[in-house]
């Protein structure tokens, strides 16, 4: 029996200044991202905004940036945060189970997403959240990573303010190769398939104040 398709879990919007990025998103959408938590040892923290609509149902937007309350990490922060000069939609995650088996199938299909590893953090209410994931950005910006929440309640199940995800566009210099990597992971595009162009992600979300395009920064549309 084939595994169930992996589905959109979240979009990752990284920034060199998390508070400033969250304030900009709040001002443009009319929805204020809520505090997620810190990632011990990674030097990062996040804020979350739920996603709704046919494309975003059950998913969320993660805003992530440096955590000034943590010491400098031993290596570079994930998502290229240390090199960013402004906010950017840097990658996306697929929710799935049985990550070890999925990684093996992906390798057999010609794409190596990297081994899954355990991670965790404390929620603002003190609850311990745990999950497994493959290395983010292993396949570049346009290829998602895999994530399994296990028994931890999904962040989107919390009472998050939610914006409608109206569009999610992927451009890649080789759209066929991007599609092959996604198929190897057992995933599918949440919106239209990738088109040719520089490697980039763009999402359009709508809040009470209107639609906002997230890509290299955020802009009202």
């Amino acid at each position: 029996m084939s595994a169930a398709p992996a589905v959109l879990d979240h979009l990752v919007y990284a920034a060199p200044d998390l508070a400033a990025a969250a304030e900009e998103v709040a001002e443009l959408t009319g929805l204020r991202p809520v505090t997620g938590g810190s990632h011990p040892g990674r030097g990062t923290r996040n804020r979350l905004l739920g996603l709704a609509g046919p494309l975003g149902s059950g998913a969320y937007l993660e805003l992530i940036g440096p955590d000034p309350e943590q010491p400098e990490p031993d290596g570079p922060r994930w998502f290229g945060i240390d090199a960013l000069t402004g906010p950017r939609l840097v990658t996306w995650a697929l929710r799935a189970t049985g990550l070890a088996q999925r990684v093996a199938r992906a390798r057999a299909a010609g794409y190596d997403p990297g081994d899954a590893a355990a991670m965790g953090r404390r929620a603002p209410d003190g609850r311990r959240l745990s999950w497994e994931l493959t290395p983010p950005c292993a396949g570049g910006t346009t290829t998602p990573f895999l994530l399994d929440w296990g028994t931890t309640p999904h962040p989107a199940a919390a009472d998050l303010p939610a914006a409608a995800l109206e569009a999610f566009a992927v451009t890649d210099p080789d759209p066929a190769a991007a599609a092959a990597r996604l198929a190897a992971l057992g995933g599918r595009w949440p919106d239209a398939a990738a088109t040719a162009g520089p490697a980039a992600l763009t999402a359009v979300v709508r809040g009470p104040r209107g639609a906002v395009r997230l890509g290299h920064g955020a802009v009202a549309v």
Side-chain angles (χ1 to χ4, degrees):
M1 180 181 296
S2 60
V7 298
L8 176 64
D9 186 81
H10 68 278
L11 307 179
V12 181
Y13 189 63
D17 184 330
L18 176 60
E23 186 60 34
E24 181 177 44
V25 169
E27 178 66 24
L28 290 171
T29 64
L31 299 167
R32 186 164 298 279
V34 304
T35 298
S38 295
H39 305 105
R42 297 290 178 183
T44 56
R45 59 180 180 172
N46 64 14
R47 298 191 187 184
L48 310 177
L49 191 66
L51 295 174
L55 296 180
S57 180
Y60 66 98
L61 174 69
E62 177 185 32
L63 290 76
I64 188 168
D67 182 357
E69 296 183 4
Q70 288 190 58
E72 287 294 308
D74 293 335
R77 292 175 175 87
W78 276 353
F79 309 117
I81 286 172
D82 296 325
L84 290 177
T85 57
R88 182 182 173 191
L89 197 60
V90 293
T91 191
W92 52 302
L94 291 175
R95 184 165 69 253
T97 57
L99 297 197
Q101 292 79 13
R102 285 183 181 270
V103 166
R105 285 195 293 269
R107 287 171 174 158
Y111 171 59
D112 185 0
D115 292 326
M119 279 193 66
R121 66 172 173 82
R122 291 285 177 187
D125 62 6
R127 291 178 300 118
R128 175 71 179 174
L129 308 180
S130 301
W131 62 92
E132 279 191 304
L133 79 170
T134 56
C137 301
T141 294
T142 61
T143 303
F145 59 97
L146 297 172
L147 191 152
D148 182 359
W149 288 99
T151 59
T152 291
H154 191 265
D159 190 19
L160 296 177
L165 178 61
E166 295 191 336
F168 178 59
V170 179
T171 59
D172 191 277
D174 188 341
R181 293 191 296 270
L182 182 63
L185 294 173
R188 56 191 177 197
W189 303 109
D191 200 350
T195 57
L201 304 176
T202 305
V204 176
V205 299
R206 182 177 295 274
R209 293 180 182 167
V212 177
R213 180 181 295 112
L214 302 173
H216 285 275
V219 60
V221 294

